[in-house]
Amino acid sequence: MTQRLAGHALVEALIAQGVDTVFGVPGESYLAVLDGFHEHRDRIRFIACRQEGGAAFMAEAQGKLTGRPGICFVTRGPGATNASIGVHTAFQDSTPMILFVGQVASDQRDREAFQELDYRQMFGPGTLGMAKWVGEVHSADRLPEYVARAFHTAMQGRPGPVVLVLPEDMLTAPTVAPVLPRVEPATAWPAPGALRDLRTMLLAAQRPLLIVGGSGWSAESAEALRRFAEAWQLPVGCAFRFQDLFPNAHPLYAGDVGIGINPALAQRVRDADLVIAVGARLGEMTTSGYTLLAPPRPAQKLVHIHAGPEELGRVYAADLLLQASMAHAGKALETIAAPPAVPWAAWTAAAHADYEANLVAPAVEPLDLAAVVKTIEAIVPTDTIYTNGAGNFSGWLHRYHRHASIAQAGRTQLAPTSGAMGYGLPAAVAASILLPDRTVVNIAGDGDFLMTGQELATATGHGAGRGKGRLVSLVVDNGSYGTIRMHQEREFPGRVSGSDLYNPDFAALARAYGWRGERIDSTAQFEPAFREAMATPQPTLLHLKLDVDVLTTRGTLGGIRAAALARVKKS
């Protein structure tokens, strides 16, 4: 190989891994890498973001969309701490991602030099850390080795984030290190004997339920899972914020098993005599605080299929544990021969009927978010990507939108299972930049949006929403941190503190960033405004004013307060 700066060799290594877009905020600690991006600007682009948290969210969304590590570059100290929210999201969401962090020069280490941090301590790899592995490259000649290991670690087993630390002087050192070939993850297929055991358990069941979730799915595996469910006529629920793994319009679909779960579905999980969890970690949100499935030994028979061996048996002592990569899980399950008929056909039909009934909502005036979500679905293409951050506003999207499966349309749901506020807008910007022919709709709350709202500038600067697809952001403004207000009213009714918000004119703010902006006060205003957004080759922000009393899809602030006051009075 020709001698070149290590920073240039790093860029060449990324290109060899198929990376054509990286996100980040520039810093003086990795100037040699930035120069490498300039050198290879015809093959790879650096998307300069406005804050490292937004950049890390964009890289996390990239990992979700591509199945390969999303790439983020930040500088040392404050750059890394700002980016940590995206790393934590990638860890909890099992998303492959690599965060490259510039570091102080080697001869300045351990002196608390300018912006110096110990990233191994900070990102703490482990089951409750933020990264799967934290490495620091001290030799320019070993840089390709570290990059290859980072890609392997991020994708293998349970996918997740890796942090690679780059001392400034290492990046400016010359090297003749070779460019290593593209990394493909090692994958696992479940043991044949375990599949036979699963068949025996299915044949003995009367009320089975399939819960699908997690990352690493291929379109082929998701389609094979659908065929498995059809062969056995299994009701299918999707784990928290993995609703695009099974077609929501399918007659076997039972709904999303997450926050704001349909009470009928929650009861169905409790009543099941066999739960087959495929890919889902069975964390707090999917199990309603570990109550639908009680640890350590659930009342239901439990089959847990997961890519990470460390996840199997960590919380639940399941009746059957199977390690399998999600790229193979559906295909493996499809090989299990089904009988001519099953005894739970009525159970499955009732599960889907409960889901359909949950789509019906009473009208809310003057602005009905259920009608908003249904209007969007009726207008946009099937492969539209929906993004959101954290907050009660997301409940309307999760409850009323029907996702296509990744086998039908690719990934259509980008949302943080970590509950990170500020995720939705950067994820939408990244999706629009990476997939300009697909429409992207972000739904954000007012508190959620202003965590990363400055990334409107990133969208404008890099032409997001100006391809064949459209980019639209809805900001639901109720002047409150609504989720916190909800919990306040439940625990301390009428005693509001710290959850009221002062908000700008979001439509005017959007226009200042080069977007179209429009305020919506009523349901009747929404459809024409949204149709105009879909007809305009310019990103659009729609500012939806909502009364603070409209708190969730299932209750009002006033109702929650009244119930809490009655409980206090009774006690």
Side-chain angles (χ1 to χ4, degrees):
M1 287 293 296
T2 305
Q3 181 171 282
R4 71 278 196 217
L5 297 181
H8 286 216
L10 173 54
V11 174
E12 292 170 7
L14 293 175
I15 293 170
Q17 296 302 325
V19 178
D20 61 12
T21 304
V22 304
F23 300 93
V25 175
E28 68 272 21
S29 60
Y30 66 97
L31 292 177
V33 181
L34 293 170
D35 190 68
F37 287 129
H38 177 78
E39 179 73 15
H40 297 286
R41 59 190 179 278
D42 57 332
R43 293 192 289 170
I44 192 168
R45 57 182 172 170
F46 179 87
I47 303 296
C49 304
R50 305 312 293 264
Q51 205 261 8
E52 291 88 356
F57 281 147
M58 292 187 196
E60 201 277 347
Q62 181 184 29
K64 277 189 169 83
L65 287 169
T66 65
R68 293 185 65 82
I71 306 297
C72 182
F73 277 84
V74 298
T75 196
R76 59 195 179 225
T81 55
N82 281 343
S84 64
I85 187 171
V87 178
H88 180 253
T89 297
F91 192 87
Q92 290 228 325
D93 286 40
S94 303
T95 302
M97 173 182 167
I98 303 174
L99 177 71
F100 291 93
V101 181
Q103 175 62 298
V104 302
S106 302
D107 61 353
Q108 299 174 8
R109 289 298 307 275
D110 299 322
R111 294 175 174 171
E112 197 182 348
F114 180 60
Q115 298 180 336
E116 182 181 5
L117 281 175
D118 184 337
Y119 298 103
R120 287 191 174 95
Q121 292 290 326
M122 174 183 168
F123 289 102
T127 56
L128 290 178
M130 276 196 285
K132 291 184 71 177
W133 174 55
V134 183
E136 184 164 338
V137 187
H138 295 289
S139 167
D141 292 338
R142 292 186 64 188
L143 181 58
E145 170 196 336
Y146 275 82
V147 172
R149 180 178 172 184
F151 272 81
H152 274 292
T153 304
M155 289 189 288
Q156 289 180 171
R158 174 186 167 186
V162 165
V163 177
L164 208 55
V165 183
L166 311 168
E168 185 176 353
D169 55 332
M170 183 278 296
L171 291 173
T172 57
T175 182
V176 292
V179 175
L180 298 181
R182 178 182 169 99
V183 167
E184 297 296 342
T187 55
W189 183 282
L195 294 176
R196 288 194 295 270
D197 292 342
L198 175 53
R199 184 175 190 272
T200 299
M201 295 173 72
L202 275 166
L203 291 174
Q206 296 294 316
R207 299 178 306 280
L209 178 67
L210 180 64
I211 299 177
V212 58
S215 68
W217 288 88
S218 65
E220 295 77 14
S221 187
E223 186 68 0
L225 181 87
R226 178 189 60 79
R227 292 192 292 268
F228 164 70
E230 288 175 344
W232 285 87
Q233 285 297 291
L234 295 169
V236 181
C238 288
F240 180 52
R241 292 181 169 167
F242 289 103
Q243 290 168 252
D244 59 357
L245 293 180
F246 194 84
N248 295 181
H250 196 284
L252 296 178
Y253 187 60
D256 63 301
V257 188
I259 294 177
I261 186 174
N262 180 359
L265 178 56
Q267 189 59 48
R268 195 167 297 279
V269 178
R270 296 186 189 97
D271 291 342
D273 61 359
L274 174 63
V275 173
I276 306 171
V278 188
R281 288 195 300 113
L282 297 177
E284 179 186 356
M285 296 299 102
T286 297
T287 62
S288 294
Y290 304 101
T291 62
L292 300 183
L293 294 162
R297 187 71 171 173
Q300 311 92 325
K301 285 191 177 298
L302 176 62
V303 176
H304 197 184
I305 305 173
H306 201 275
E310 75 287 350
E311 189 63 35
L312 295 169
R314 181 152 74 105
V315 177
Y316 291 101
D319 297 271
L320 182 62
L321 300 172
L322 289 79
Q323 185 191 357
S325 304
M326 290 307 103
H328 295 320
K331 299 173 186 178
L333 290 171
E334 188 184 18
T335 67
I336 302 175
V342 294
W344 55 73
W347 160 265
T348 299
H352 184 68
D354 289 341
Y355 167 70
E356 291 286 349
N358 196 48
L359 294 175
V360 179
V364 176
E365 295 296 341
L367 181 59
D368 188 339
L369 288 184
V372 164
V373 171
K374 292 178 180 181
T375 298
I376 294 171
E377 182 181 318
I379 294 172
V380 299
T382 302
D383 67 350
T384 292
I385 298 167
Y386 293 83
T387 75
N388 64 267
N392 280 0
F393 66 89
S394 64
W396 280 270
L397 178 62
H398 295 348
R399 178 175 175 180
Y400 296 113
H401 175 66
R402 295 172 299 174
H403 284 274
S405 77
I406 63 171
Q408 298 169 308
R411 290 302 305 261
T412 60
Q413 185 178 36
L414 302 180
T417 68
S418 68
M421 293 182 71
Y423 177 89
L425 179 68
V429 173
S432 185
I433 289 172
L434 294 168
L435 301 170
D437 290 342
R438 290 178 65 179
T439 290
V440 183
V441 176
N442 164 236
I443 300 182
D446 44 357
D448 171 67
F449 179 83
L450 280 183
M451 297 278 180
T452 52
Q454 67 271 24
E455 302 302 344
L456 291 172
T458 304
T460 302
H462 292 278
R466 294 184 181 273
K468 291 182 181 178
R470 297 289 178 258
L471 174 59
V472 183
S473 180
L474 278 58
V475 179
V476 180
D477 173 11
N478 65 355
S480 175
Y481 284 124
T483 303
I484 307 307
R485 179 70 179 274
M486 174 182 70
H487 291 299
Q488 281 181 325
E489 294 292 357
R490 284 175 175 165
E491 301 299 325
F492 303 99
R495 298 173 63 83
V496 181
S497 176
S499 54
D500 288 337
L501 294 176
Y502 171 77
N503 287 324
D505 180 335
F506 287 104
L509 181 66
R511 290 191 289 270
Y513 279 110
W515 288 47
R516 290 182 63 255
E518 186 172 348
R519 174 168 163 152
I520 307 294
D521 293 290
S522 68
T523 307
Q525 290 178 299
F526 180 76
E527 181 171 345
F530 189 79
R531 287 191 180 277
E532 185 176 356
M534 289 297 294
T536 306
Q538 181 183 4
T540 297
L541 183 146
L542 299 178
H543 178 186
L544 279 59
K545 285 292 294 180
L546 190 71
D547 191 296
V548 70
D549 193 55
V550 184
L551 201 58
T552 75
T553 68
R554 301 191 185 278
T556 63
L557 184 151
I560 291 172
R561 178 187 294 173
L565 288 171
R567 185 183 68 248
V568 170
K569 184 177 180 180
K570 185 176 180 180
S571 63

